[in-house]
Structures are given as C-alpha cells and as structure tokens.
Amino acid sequence: MSDDQTEHEKKTEHEQEMEEAKQEVQQLQEDPPDKLEDWPEGKAKYETFGGAEGDHSYDEGPEANLGPDSVRHREDGSVEVGGEEVDDPDEFKGDPIPGGPTDPSAASNRDEQWLASDEDEDEEES
C-alpha cells in the first residue's frame, strides 16, 4: 500500500468532503461563473474563493478575476472605480436578481404588500 492510499484512508469522511470542496472552488478561480446559479452547491459553496483570508491581497489572488476591488456604487446611480467616475455605470452593474428589489418584473415584496394593506385599512377607517 502506498503512502497516498494510507493517508487517504486516515482521513475522515468530513475531511475528504472538505478537500473535494476546496478542489472544486480552486477550479472556478481561473474562470469564475457569471451567473449565481452556476456557482457550486453542497460543501463547496461554503469554501472561501481565493483560499484562506490573509494569504495574499485581492489583486494578487484569484479574486481579481471577479473584477476590480475599488468599484463604488453611489446612491445617485453613478459608479466610480479607483476614485474616478466611470463614463458608463451600466458596465459595472449586473442583472437584477429575479424577484429582488431591483427586478422590474417582480411582484412587490412582503413589506410593500404589508404596508399597502395597512394603508388600505387606514383609508377604510376614515
């Protein structure tokens, strides 16, 4: 029996699952998915992209493939990168999350429904 097989047998099932999850995330680091649904499920979704915190800076690690770290979205809709306002803010905005607050085709959320029903009750009482 080789040392690799002996080492593999010594690992618990949990350790093996965690190692597989780390490998799955490492494969994504070269070309990260654009859509949320393309990211891993299971144990891999709990692994940190880029490895442990503090091993390297954002610009030196695979996180840089996700885009610049200095992007700032302002309340007025403008976007700045590295302190400079960009000409096309839409370039730095993703598609709205389906059903989320920025999704124009989403039905109103529970809070809005609750507030609307509360306002309707107030009008009926008047």
Side-chain angles (χ1 to χ4, degrees):
M1 204 183 308
S2 72
D3 288 338
D4 288 339
Q5 288 175 333
T6 306
E7 189 66 32
H8 184 70
E9 290 173 3
K10 289 180 184 178
K11 291 182 181 178
T12 66
E13 183 178 333
H14 174 73
E15 289 173 329
Q16 290 174 5
E17 289 173 354
M18 296 310 295
E19 190 173 303
E20 289 170 6
K22 286 179 184 178
Q23 290 173 354
E24 186 176 347
V25 171
Q26 284 177 342
Q27 292 171 354
L28 290 176
Q29 292 178 1
E30 293 301 316
D31 186 24
D34 291 331
K35 296 180 181 175
L36 186 59
E37 58 267 13
D38 295 336
W39 284 85
E41 288 292 322
K43 302 266 185 205
K45 73 179 175 182
Y46 301 108
E47 282 299 313
T48 303
F49 190 83
E53 189 174 336
D55 290 344
H56 56 271
S57 71
Y58 184 95
D59 291 336
E60 294 171 342
E63 299 92 344
N65 293 334
L66 298 173
D69 66 336
S70 58
V71 175
R72 300 291 178 259
H73 297 267
R74 296 190 193 134
E75 287 184 26
D76 65 0
S78 63
V79 175
E80 68 177 46
V81 177
E84 301 286 325
E85 192 165 331
V86 298
D87 293 331
D88 186 12
D90 291 336
E91 184 180 329
F92 293 92
K93 295 178 183 175
D95 295 332
I97 297 170
T102 59
D103 183 2
S105 62
S108 59
N109 66 38
R110 289 189 139 333
D111 289 339
E112 289 174 350
Q113 293 170 357
W114 179 77
L115 289 172
S117 69
D118 194 34
E119 288 173 2
D120 291 342
E121 289 174 12
D122 289 344
E123 289 175 7
E124 289 174 9
E125 291 176 4
S126 302

